Amino acid sequence: MKSNKQSKSRTICILAASALSASLLAYPADMYADTAKPTTGQTVIQHMGTPLLSAKEVKAFTDAYFAKPEVSDMLAGALVVIVKDDKVLLNTGYGYADLETKKKIDPDRTLFRMASISKSITATAMMQLVEEGKIDLKQDITTYMPDIKIVNNTGKPVTVEHLLTHTTGFDYTDSNLVPPQLLQNDEVPLADFLRVNAPTVVRSPGEVYRYDNLASSMQGYIVEKVSGHPFEEYVKTHIFDTLQMKHAAFRMDNDIITNLATGYNIHREPIKPYPNIPTIAPEGGMFATGTDMANFITAHLNNGQFGSSRILKEETMRLMHQTHVDAAGIPLMSYGFESFLHSSHNGQTVIGKGGDLNGYHSWLWLLPDQNVGGMIVVNSDASIPIREDFFTAFMNYFYPKKQEQKNNFSLNQEQLNSFEGFYRSLRTPIITTQVKAIPGGLSVLDAQGEHKLTPVGPLLFVDEKGTPAAFKQDDTGEIAYMYYTAIDSMSEKLAEPSAYNDVAEENPYAKDIYFISSLKAFGDQESSTFRPDEPITRAEFVSVISRLAGIKPNSNVSTFNDLQGHPLASYVQNVVDMGAVTGTPTQNFEPDRPITRQEAAAIIWRTAHNVLGAEAVQAKLSSQPAVWADEAVQFMVGAGLHGPDVTIDANGAADYRPSDKLLRKEAAVIYAKLIQQSLVR
């Protein structure tokens, strides 16, 4: 098992991958994200009429799906569970639990990391205590965990319901810090983990949806505090044992490792088993088999009943499944479940829960009105598109879309103009969306390409594929938020940045400088000057990556001697943990030394390659960089991550000027291009 220090770095990489990958989809590499796109062509399986959902029909459909070459070619292994009423229609594996030994997946014994599906278990435990009257959904969370100090100057408390619906208003919702004194220990207690990751409430609780890992960690801690039992023991006694989930567990041990399906990276190379941080992780640390999850799905479909046992009353389960947060009528959150992939719902009510950890990616869905549920989990980063594609194929086959009524709604041009602007994901600031008004609708550029949105309501639109896009107004009636393809968070509309005294509108770098300024990437938004022609320091350049990724500054002791006490040390340390930054042989970083252009290229390349699995890009260079920077500089030129500072000669060779100091205006272009790659592909 890896050390906690190594696992902390792994956690940072997971967060960074989720944050950065959508902006890098234009690169010539098969990268992935928490909201990865489906395969280019959705699987279509023909049938005559609407088939009956039966064990025979489900198996035939699923066998045909996994027999398709485009699916089998990207597969390591997959576990599929389909349940109707109280009957398991399918519980089987495809591919392998281990590629090297050709070990098959045993749905009764083979364990998978359920990742964030764990959140639905945690929320179920919370609702049990709500049902018993021990937890009040409307109560301030500090009542139940007074030892976790949360700064909140909004005048509105964060309630238990806000935790369950991911509407806390926290500044950071992806916790990544580990107490320094625990780094060398085998156990990272949940309480200590929450104390060092205690958030600040920066938005009015309940105002806006943002996927919240920290909220689910807090739910687990509240279960501990209120029940008087460790979280994993409470869940085992009140959920796992009751539902005969014989192999499900939150604590990793040798038996878990022995039966765990091997996880694989995007190149289908095996990933060694890694521990959860914290050791008991209510937000994503559960291990389970197909049979375990079939029983959990059955209980939720049957209003809390499993055989002769019950985990929740009918009215509590119905409350749990109801939509509690929406965007202009688009359902977003129930208690412990989310409503994603709306274009695949085909008019059905669908709630679900997805999950992502290195090597493991899952999607669980429930159709409460049909008493049908399912789950798919794959054990390879290369297989991510399968989970969404399979769900879409399942819905199209068994619940095909009904003919839609003609839409007669319209907005005038003045109304459409009010939606224009750039929107930034609250969870991952690097994910941006550009909206422009066009006759009859909106034009949108984002990480998934260009779309046309047609209005179907005052704040609701739909694109060509049927994917809804919703907007939300602030208290003054101005458009403030958008929800569309960045499905794990609302995106906030960016205000026009204040003009810099030293950046004229006609400056060839102005557009990129003001764009990156609107994202607050340089951390100097209060300044009246940008100093475009000054060199940027190593610490300043690196800190931008951390801000754009939306990762909480790391307050632990810095890796480098000369970063101790530096104002940007906490930002740099995050990027160090990604494996994107190296120091000198004397363990120094030289934070205030101007960064060279080839050093900057190396950092961007390592971030893309180490965190996201980006492949090298060849480019013709007229000025040769250092040997250690050659691949990185070619990547920057080949990917177009530069401005007019790079010139091309008559032979098509680029002069990157690798040894020159990187200027602030040039750094702004690099990061602007990094984001905008996805907007112009």
Side-chain angles (χ1 to χ4, degrees):
M1 191 180 296
K2 291 183 181 179
S3 70
N4 288 333
K5 177 71 172 178
Q6 291 170 311
S7 181
K8 183 170 76 75
S9 297
R10 177 191 62 78
T11 302
I12 291 284
C13 286
I14 291 170
L15 298 176
S18 297
L20 295 171
S21 54
S23 70
L24 298 173
L25 289 171
Y27 288 168
D30 183 15
M31 297 182 233
Y32 54 92
D34 195 45
T35 56
K37 298 188 299 178
T39 49
T40 302
Q42 292 286 1
T43 300
V44 177
I45 300 174
Q46 298 295 327
H47 61 80
M48 298 298 293
T50 303
L52 177 68
L53 190 70
S54 65
K56 180 179 179 181
E57 192 74 27
V58 165
K59 186 177 188 309
F61 161 80
T62 309
D63 287 350
Y65 177 86
F66 281 98
K68 294 179 70 67
E70 63 267 30
V71 174
S72 59
D73 287 350
M74 72 172 79
L75 184 69
L79 173 68
V80 182
V81 175
I82 304 293
V83 177
K84 180 174 175 56
D85 301 320
D86 58 354
K87 295 179 181 179
V88 179
L89 303 185
L90 185 72
N91 179 20
T92 193
Y94 293 86
Y96 299 100
D98 187 272
L99 290 173
E100 183 179 1
T101 63
K102 303 298 183 187
K103 182 179 179 181
K104 294 283 190 179
I105 295 169
D106 181 345
D108 292 324
R109 295 288 303 181
T110 303
L111 292 162
F112 284 78
R113 290 183 182 269
M114 291 294 118
S116 285
I117 287 179
S118 310
K119 292 178 172 66
S120 296
I121 301 286
T122 301
T124 300
M126 285 283 286
M127 294 306 293
Q128 288 179 332
L129 295 170
V130 168
E131 187 176 271
E132 293 175 17
K134 297 178 179 178
I135 293 177
D136 183 345
L137 289 169
K138 304 299 182 181
Q139 183 61 260
D140 188 330
I141 60 174
T142 59
T143 302
Y144 302 110
M145 47 179 199
D147 53 325
I148 308 300
K149 305 303 180 185
I150 299 173
V151 177
N152 183 358
N153 296 318
T154 68
K156 182 177 179 180
V158 178
T159 67
V160 172
E161 184 173 43
H162 294 140
L163 294 182
L164 287 163
T165 57
H166 294 192
T167 55
T168 57
F170 292 160
D171 53 350
Y172 295 98
T173 57
D174 295 300
S175 49
N176 63 285
L177 304 183
V178 180
Q181 69 274 19
L182 298 175
L183 287 177
Q184 304 305 319
N185 297 338
D186 292 331
E187 190 90 5
V188 179
L190 181 57
D192 290 339
F193 185 76
L194 286 174
R195 288 184 190 112
V196 298
N197 285 285
T200 296
V201 184
V202 295
R203 282 181 177 79
S204 180
E207 178 183 348
V208 65
Y209 163 71
R210 170 180 171 173
Y211 194 90
D212 200 330
N213 278 302
L214 189 57
S216 291
S217 298
M218 290 180 175
Q219 290 174 46
Y221 189 50
I222 289 174
V223 168
E224 275 194 6
K225 298 285 282 185
V226 171
S227 71
H229 299 282
F231 173 76
E232 72 273 25
E233 290 183 12
Y234 177 90
V235 169
K236 183 180 186 307
T237 300
H238 294 85
I239 297 177
F240 293 163
D241 288 350
T242 304
L243 299 182
Q244 298 177 32
M245 298 172 67
K246 297 178 181 179
H247 301 289
F250 273 88
R251 180 172 291 278
M252 191 176 193
D253 56 24
N254 289 333
D255 287 340
I256 295 289
I257 295 173
T258 298
N259 292 293
L260 183 63
T262 302
Y264 295 89
N265 65 19
I266 200 164
H267 304 295
R268 295 215 292 186
E269 300 165 338
I271 300 171
K272 292 182 179 180
Y274 49 82
N276 290 318
I277 299 294
T279 303
I280 305 300
E283 83 292 341
M286 183 176 69
F287 306 88
T289 67
T291 301
D292 294 331
M293 295 310 298
N295 294 355
F296 178 73
I297 292 170
T298 298
H300 270 270
L301 291 177
N302 290 331
N303 291 317
Q305 187 79 27
F306 181 77
S308 59
S309 302
R310 177 172 287 281
I311 57 170
L312 284 173
K313 296 177 182 177
E314 288 189 28
E315 56 267 31
T316 307
M317 192 64 85
R318 284 196 294 270
L319 176 65
M320 191 172 180
H321 291 171
Q322 289 174 9
T323 297
H324 295 284
V325 174
D326 70 271
I330 300 175
L332 296 182
M333 285 296 299
S334 303
Y335 291 156
F337 293 93
E338 59 215 14
S339 187
F340 286 174
L341 313 178
H342 294 92
S343 62
S344 299
H345 292 185
N346 295 350
Q348 300 291 329
T349 298
V350 179
I351 60 174
K353 190 72 206 71
D356 293 89
L357 284 174
N358 282 357
Y360 305 87
H361 307 276
S362 51
W363 171 243
L364 181 152
W365 68 92
L366 303 176
L367 282 71
D369 296 342
Q370 303 293 339
N371 262 23
V372 169
M375 184 194 73
I376 181 168
V377 54
V378 296
N379 60 324
S380 170
D381 295 337
S383 304
I384 293 178
I386 290 176
R387 61 176 174 180
E388 180 178 339
D389 190 52
F390 178 80
F391 171 69
T392 298
F394 175 88
M395 293 299 295
N396 289 343
Y397 187 78
F398 291 105
Y399 300 97
K401 185 178 295 185
K402 298 177 182 178
Q403 187 172 2
E404 298 178 354
Q405 294 182 346
K406 186 177 180 180
N407 171 48
N408 295 316
F409 187 83
S410 64
L411 294 173
N412 62 41
Q413 200 60 41
E414 183 180 358
Q415 291 169 318
L416 291 170
N417 290 342
S418 68
F419 297 95
E420 283 194 330
F422 275 98
Y423 295 78
R424 174 185 61 182
S425 167
L426 291 175
R427 186 185 184 200
T428 49
I430 198 171
I431 300 176
T432 60
T433 302
Q434 184 180 22
V435 177
K436 292 183 178 180
I438 58 175
L442 301 175
S443 174
V444 173
L445 282 172
D446 64 12
Q448 296 189 21
E450 186 173 0
H451 322 269
K452 179 181 178 181
L453 301 182
T454 301
V456 294
L459 298 172
L460 185 61
F461 294 73
V462 66
D463 70 12
E464 306 93 330
K465 296 182 179 180
T467 303
F471 294 83
K472 183 176 181 179
Q473 297 170 319
D474 61 19
D475 293 339
T476 68
E478 297 293 320
I479 301 298
Y481 300 103
M482 178 185 190
Y483 181 82
Y484 184 34
T485 55
I487 62 177
D488 62 351
S489 173
M490 300 285 286
S491 296
E492 63 178 338
K493 190 175 183 181
L494 299 176
E496 288 288 334
S498 300
Y500 290 113
N501 297 334
D502 52 1
V503 181
E505 186 177 345
E506 61 272 16
N507 187 314
Y509 293 86
K511 183 178 179 181
D512 291 318
I513 288 172
Y514 283 116
F515 172 71
I516 210 71
S517 174
S518 70
L519 297 175
K520 304 177 182 178
F522 278 77
D524 60 354
Q525 56 268 22
E526 302 302 323
S527 176
S528 61
T529 60
F530 185 75
R531 298 171 286 124
D533 296 314
E534 291 184 13
I536 189 170
T537 69
R538 285 168 54 83
E540 287 173 332
F541 183 82
V542 168
S543 67
V544 174
I545 296 176
S546 181
R547 291 192 190 93
L548 289 177
I551 305 173
K552 185 174 185 175
N554 191 331
S555 58
N556 289 339
V557 176
S558 173
T559 300
F560 301 112
N561 299 324
D562 58 353
L563 265 178
Q564 311 301 330
H566 193 280
L568 296 177
S570 57
Y571 292 96
V572 173
Q573 188 60 41
N574 278 342
V575 187
V576 172
D577 289 336
M578 294 179 200
V581 170
T582 58
T584 67
T586 57
Q587 281 300 294
N588 286 323
F589 178 69
E590 301 178 357
D592 298 318
R593 174 173 64 79
I595 195 168
T596 65
R597 294 168 59 85
Q598 61 186 356
E599 287 175 329
I603 290 168
I604 294 295
W605 163 238
R606 290 191 202 109
T607 302
H609 182 66
N610 295 350
V611 177
L612 305 170
E615 300 289 353
V617 182
Q618 291 187 346
K620 195 173 181 180
L621 305 176
S622 62
S623 51
Q624 292 304 310
V627 174
W628 52 265
D630 183 65
E631 190 174 42
V633 170
Q634 288 195 56
F635 179 78
M636 298 292 283
V637 172
L641 300 181
H642 60 78
D645 42 274
V646 173
T647 57
I648 310 297
D649 65 20
N651 297 317
D655 182 10
Y656 187 79
R657 305 181 2 255
S659 299
D660 288 1
K661 296 174 182 178
L662 185 74
L663 305 184
R664 288 173 59 83
K665 64 184 180 183
E666 296 166 349
V669 171
I670 288 175
Y671 284 114
K673 298 292 186 186
L674 185 70
I675 298 169
Q676 292 166 356
Q677 279 276 356
S678 60
L679 302 183
V680 296
R681 69 191 184 107

